[in-house]
Amino acid sequence: MKSVDKEALVHKYLVEYYEKYYRIAYSYVFQEQDALDIVQEGAYRAILKSDALKKPEYADTWICRIMMNEAVRFLEKNRGRTVFLEEVPEESTMDEPEDLDLRQALGKLNEEERRIVILKYFEEEKIRTIAQTLDLKESTVKSRLYRAVEKLKKYMEGGAGYGEMEKRV
Amino acid sequence: MEKWKKEYDEIVVPDHTGELMEEAVRRAKETKKEPGDKKCTVISEVRQPCSQLC
């Protein structure tokens, strides 16, 4: 595929699926303006790097990965100003079952688990696609997904054994 | 997970998101078009013709 065609393809996806990319960005920062900053910067980078797209059939997930990387970069850059997901205050104690909202639930996961959960359960991507997107083996995606779900279940059931929050990667 | 999926799906996307994305794409394309020899341009501006140096 020629460079110009790759660029056109990435452009097409950005325009067509911008709502999806916004939701991904928002699920990291939970702030409208911050999410907008992320998707704009992500779109900018995606076009600049469109030559690096190896498999056009994975253009969408390739852009998702760029958006997620951009979100992490944004959080690192704004550390102090932005409240990290895991810093969200919790009212309940670990001895009681928790009713977590989306922000709190994602805050329980490390970066890789969060990416996998977002792509699998919220964006409903196939394991194979997620593996391609994140450059992991399918078996690795499955095991990390299982671990993430188990972690969330434990929290929902009362948090036994999960007193320590996971650190960001 | 269904509850969180519902919450995720209900994230409101601002109306102008598409326009902002288009703007970012336009900026990126312009950046790509820009010649990469800006330094050479600057040097050529500073450089004096040989006739003045000799």
Side-chain angles (χ1 to χ4, degrees), chain A residues 86 90 94 96-98 100 104-117 121 142-169, chain B residues 1 4:
Chain A
E86 64 265 38
E90 294 175 272
M94 297 311 292
E96 297 169 346
E98 293 185 55
L100 306 177
Q104 290 167 323
L106 291 174
K108 304 293 183 194
L109 306 175
N110 67 34
E111 176 51 28
E112 195 170 55
E113 291 166 346
R114 185 177 305 138
R115 285 178 189 225
I116 293 172
V117 165
Y121 290 112
K142 283 180 190 170
S143 65
R144 290 184 187 167
L145 186 62
Y146 178 79
R147 194 175 66 190
V149 172
E150 284 300 301
K151 192 185 280 185
L152 291 173
K153 268 189 197 170
K154 294 255 184 183
Y155 273 112
M156 297 297 282
E157 288 164 3
Y162 282 85
E164 291 294 320
M165 285 190 188
E166 289 283 321
K167 291 276 180 194
R168 278 183 159 270
V169 175
Chain B
M1 205 60 78
W4 296 323

Side-chain angles (χ1 to χ4, degrees), chain A residues 7 11 47 100 122-123, chain B residues 3-5 8 29 32:
Chain A
E7 186 183 284
H11 186 171
I47 291 292
L100 306 177
F122 303 156
E123 292 300 339
Chain B
K3 177 198 155 202
W4 296 323
K5 163 79 175 143
Y8 182 86
K29 287 185 176 181
K32 274 174 129 179

Side-chain angles (χ1 to χ4, degrees), chain A residues 7 11 15 18 22-24 32 36 39-40 44 47-48 50 99-102 105 121-124, chain B residues 1 3-5 7-9 11-14 16-18 20-22 24-25 27-29 31-32:
Chain A
E7 186 183 284
H11 186 171
V15 171
Y18 70 86
Y22 176 86
R23 287 195 179 94
I24 288 175
E32 181 181 307
L36 285 172
V39 289
Q40 283 180 87
Y44 181 82
I47 291 292
L48 277 190
S50 55
D99 184 20
L100 306 177
D101 64 17
L102 178 65
Y121 290 112
F122 303 156
E123 292 300 339
E124 298 177 335
Chain B
M1 205 60 78
K3 177 198 155 202
W4 296 323
K5 163 79 175 143
E7 205 178 327
Y8 182 86
D9 289 341
I11 292 172
V12 179
V13 182
H16 59 302
T17 309
L20 292 174
M21 292 281 263
E22 280 281 18
V25 167
R27 265 194 305 120
K29 287 185 176 181
T31 303
K32 274 174 129 179

Side-chain angles (χ1 to χ4, degrees), chain A residues 19-69:
Chain A
E19 293 187 345
K20 171 181 181 170
Y21 306 134
Y22 176 86
R23 287 195 179 94
I24 288 175
Y26 189 89
S27 67
Y28 276 78
V29 290
F30 290 87
Q31 294 278 347
E32 181 181 307
Q33 191 52 53
D34 292 346
L36 285 172
D37 287 348
I38 291 165
V39 289
Q40 283 180 87
E41 192 57 31
Y44 181 82
R45 280 180 193 269
I47 291 292
L48 277 190
K49 294 181 174 182
S50 55
D51 265 354
L53 175 65
K54 288 175 189 165
K55 295 182 179 177
E57 63 269 33
Y58 290 114
D60 176 38
T61 45
W62 181 79
I63 296 170
C64 287
R65 185 175 175 169
I66 289 179
M67 294 297 175
M68 288 172 163
N69 287 342

